[in-house]
Amino acid sequence: MSGTCFIDRVEGVDDAFALTFDDGPSPTWTPRLLGVLKRFDARATFFPMAFNLRRHHELARIALAAGHEYGVHGELHLPPPPLPWPLLRWEAERGVAAVQALTGAPPRWYRA
């Protein structure tokens, strides 16, 4: 599994951090991640690609049942800066719709 790790801090918060994962759910990696998170009694926020969320909604439901949450990451994983406004809006709307169909509520978070 490859990916990028970002480490940031919030002033005045010394003992807490957030775990986030992008692009899934994946039949290969999501069960492994959920197992590690369960072992450490940790919760995470997943930022799925909408098409992956629709294809593997059963994995997403398992994550929800375990106390994790879902945010919006988009449909096609296109970089936002060069996108024309209508395509960027379509990307976000597709992501919101997929998360809302899964959870029954609008998502709280968006990751470009």
Side-chain angles (χ1 to χ4, degrees), residues 70-86:
Y70 277 85
V72 174
H73 196 33
E75 176 73 30
L76 302 174
H77 210 277
L78 300 171
L83 292 182
W85 174 245

Side-chain angles (χ1 to χ4, degrees), residues 34-109:
L34 293 175
V36 171
L37 293 167
K38 182 177 181 177
R39 185 172 21 164
F40 291 98
D41 194 29
R43 300 294 172 268
T45 302
F46 291 87
F47 290 90
M49 299 311 306
F51 67 90
N52 283 337
L53 191 58
R54 289 189 300 273
R55 276 187 355 189
H56 304 296
H57 63 275
E58 69 286 346
L59 291 172
R61 292 196 189 286
I62 292 168
L64 284 174
H68 305 291
E69 70 176 334
Y70 277 85
V72 174
H73 196 33
E75 176 73 30
L76 302 174
H77 210 277
L78 300 171
L83 292 182
W85 174 245
L87 185 54
L88 181 59
R89 181 178 177 154
W90 178 85
E91 271 275 301
E93 287 174 347
R94 296 279 294 182
V96 168
V99 171
Q100 192 159 348
L102 173 73
T103 65
R108 297 182 338 159
W109 312 109

